[in-house]
Amino acid sequence: MAASQARNAGLPIINFLRLKGVSILQQLHLEERLLRTSSENWCIINDETTRPTIVMGVSGKPKELLETDAVLRDEIPVIRRFTGGGTVIVDQGTIFVSFICNKDAIPGLQSYPRPIMSWSSLIYKNMFQGIGEFGLRENDYVLGNRKFGGNAQSITKNRNHVEFICRLKEFMSRSDFINGTTDAVAAYFALRSPDADDIQNHSSQFEPSSKLLTRQELGDEASIDLVGTVSQAL
């Protein structure tokens, strides 16, 4: 304990929350509430979500980004999150790592996408030593020449999907990734385990804006009587 306290001396405190199988909509609601109502630093790791779900950025337009006929036919939930960025599909194989930090938690860090991505890449750089050639390319995390996380945008022509995307399970187990991320975060923060009251205190103070889109919002105006079918599925 003494050695741990000495190692963490001077580091900013972060509430470290590990979740298992929480739906991505619940996670987004929690993140937004903490962002808007808490003055503390938070790191949330959620190991998988409940079912395959499409998540769009705050300004995403379904008709431009989705094959809406197939989405409606297969009753795939579509969420518009409160943050920007691209459109992704998440499922039981996805691991989510989220940071909610005060500006002064990382001295000298500018509040712009590129500096933030550069800082977050440091979290993973040491973790992947000896496992793969980790790097930050544009706004994506890559191993070698293939992306495994980061910004959901990718501009490319005439390339098979598997040529620029890789799966982390090719390099490590889920538990190794989560434990490695935990150790990496501990190099920059003093980890604190929040209790139920810490979470409950922020549960009703803010109405989150991340939402499940209805069939009408997805462009199926001819089936207004079926609005809510997707939301029931989550």
Side-chain angles (χ1 to χ4, degrees), residues 129-143:
Q129 278 189 342
I131 297 175
E133 188 181 346
F134 173 82
L136 177 65
R137 185 171 300 171
E138 298 299 329
N139 289 317
D140 295 328
Y141 302 125
V142 298
L143 286 168

Side-chain angles (χ1 to χ4, degrees), residues 36-150:
R36 306 301 184 193
T37 69
S38 175
S39 60
E40 299 178 322
N41 302 312
W42 295 80
C43 178
I44 302 171
I45 296 181
N46 183 19
D47 184 9
E48 73 182 54
T49 188
T50 51
R51 59 166 294 181
T53 303
I54 296 172
V55 184
M56 305 173 59
V58 65
S59 60
K61 296 179 174 59
K63 287 187 176 181
E64 296 178 3
L65 299 170
L66 307 177
E67 295 182 10
T68 53
D69 289 343
V71 169
L72 291 165
R73 181 194 66 224
D74 297 335
E75 297 188 344
I76 300 174
V78 179
I79 292 170
R80 180 178 281 122
R81 63 179 179 264
F82 71 97
T83 61
T87 302
V88 295
I89 299 177
V90 298
D91 59 17
Q92 292 89 341
T94 307
I95 301 174
F96 306 87
V97 181
S98 299
F99 289 94
I100 302 170
C101 295
N102 291 303
K103 186 177 180 180
D104 58 359
I106 302 97
L109 181 64
Q110 294 180 310
S111 300
Y112 297 99
R114 181 64 184 183
I116 292 173
M117 285 294 293
S118 295
W119 171 79
S120 64
S121 71
L122 300 176
I123 296 278
Y124 299 105
K125 185 174 182 179
N126 290 336
M127 188 178 74
F128 282 104
Q129 278 189 342
I131 297 175
E133 188 181 346
F134 173 82
L136 177 65
R137 185 171 300 171
E138 298 299 329
N139 289 317
D140 295 328
Y141 302 125
V142 298
L143 286 168
N145 293 319
R146 296 193 293 165
K147 164 184 169 179
F148 71 89

Side-chain angles (χ1 to χ4, degrees), residues 13-17 40 42 190-195 198:
I13 297 173
I14 195 166
N15 293 295
F16 193 81
L17 182 62
E40 299 178 322
W42 295 80
L191 305 189
R192 173 182 179 270
S193 296
D195 56 34
D198 294 323

Side-chain angles (χ1 to χ4, degrees), residues 178-203:
I178 292 172
N179 292 334
T181 299
T182 302
D183 291 341
V185 173
Y188 291 87
F189 297 92
L191 305 189
R192 173 182 179 270
S193 296
D195 56 34
D197 289 339
D198 294 323
I199 306 299
Q200 187 65 31
N201 288 339
H202 301 283
S203 64

